[in-house]
Amino acid sequence: MQQNRAFIEQCLDAYFDSPHRDILMSHPAKTEEEDYGVPVEMQDGTVDEEGWVRWRMLPSTVTEDQIRELEQSCELPVPIPPLYRAFLSTRYVLNVYLRYDDFVIGLPNLPSDRPLEDLHGLWSAWKPLISKGYVPFATYEDDAGPVCWDIRNPHGDEDYAVVWFDHEFLVNDESPSREQLEGWAKPLFTSFRDMLIPLASSHHS
């Protein structure tokens, strides 16, 4: 787990070490219990007139047990990859949008007050996918659809091929079969780790 956590820290540091750091690390401040703004302990400075505030990453206190509980309550058929567990439990972080050559993937926000809420929403929304062996863990740009592991296509030790689904297909068919889903799944990466490797080694402009 230590190695995975160190890798996640390296990825996040590389991601935010950018000329756009000020934009990446600004977000609306939380005003209501239920909204998704920056919780007070993550705010770094004062809230501006528009209601935006700089935020900072903080060490996470999410535990293995909390992640396992969420997996069980959402009826995941397998545990999520260890590297993703490390992502969920290493730092509180917001606004992680990974840019590739021709698409962007957004990872769930992990605010300090409700770090697993985003992921819980994703798993609740896509239950039919989970039951067919596709576990969502991120979103394709502009919420075009869920980015998932295909657990029937394992890669190495407890990691899986990464695919995405266009939301349009899924909305029109409430309970597609595994065969239909295989036809709609667009392959992206051989694993979650492969998806992060460019991030760990890059300083993007």
Side-chain angles (χ1 to χ4, degrees):
M1 193 57 159
Q2 282 316 110
Q3 271 177 319
N4 282 338
R5 286 191 197 287
F7 181 67
I8 291 292
E9 288 182 344
Q10 186 190 341
C11 288
L12 292 173
D13 288 342
Y15 177 75
F16 289 108
D17 179 20
S18 144
H20 308 297
R21 186 183 175 94
D22 285 354
I23 298 170
L24 294 171
M25 301 196 89
S26 298
H27 198 71
K30 191 174 182 105
T31 51
E32 311 269 321
E33 180 56 35
E34 288 307 306
D35 78 15
Y36 283 90
V38 181
V40 173
E41 59 271 32
M42 288 179 78
Q43 294 177 10
D44 188 12
T46 51
V47 180
D48 70 15
E49 307 78 69
E50 313 277 286
W52 285 63
V53 68
R54 281 182 63 93
W55 59 271
R56 54 174 172 243
M57 291 187 275
L58 294 175
S60 175
T61 57
V62 170
T63 64
E64 284 285 313
D65 285 349
Q66 288 171 316
I67 297 171
R68 237 188 321 270
E69 232 165 79
L70 184 59
E71 289 174 336
Q72 287 164 356
S73 72
C74 294
E75 298 174 18
L76 259 58
V78 293
I80 55 176
L83 187 59
Y84 194 78
R85 303 178 101 73
F87 166 68
L88 295 176
S89 58
T90 298
R91 286 189 185 162
Y92 296 128
V93 64
L94 308 168
N95 290 0
V96 179
Y97 294 99
L98 308 180
R99 293 175 189 285
Y100 300 93
D101 288 343
D102 41 10
F103 58 92
V104 175
I105 291 177
L107 289 173
N109 281 334
L110 306 172
S112 55
D113 57 343
R114 293 186 301 182
L116 298 177
E117 184 102 351
D118 255 21
L119 184 60
H120 181 255
L122 203 56
W123 286 352
S124 305
W126 300 112
K127 273 205 157 92
L129 282 181
I130 293 176
S131 66
K132 300 292 192 304
Y134 291 103
V135 175
F137 67 90
T139 48
Y140 201 75
E141 60 190 292
D142 303 328
D143 279 339
V147 173
C148 305
W149 290 294
D150 176 358
I151 63 168
R152 300 199 193 166
N153 193 350
H155 180 87
D157 189 26
E158 301 174 85
D159 205 339
Y160 305 94
V162 173
V163 301
W164 84 278
F165 290 97
D166 190 326
H167 186 259
E168 297 291 309
F169 288 117
L170 302 174
V171 185
N172 297 331
D173 193 333
E174 283 301 291
S175 56
S177 67
R178 170 74 197 193
E179 290 64 36
Q180 276 175 299
L181 289 169
E182 282 173 2
W184 297 337
K186 300 186 170 73
L188 293 177
F189 301 96
T190 54
S191 67
F192 179 57
R193 186 175 293 274
D194 283 352
M195 177 179 140
L196 292 187
I197 282 171
L199 180 65
S201 53
S202 76
H203 281 257
H204 49 224
S205 49

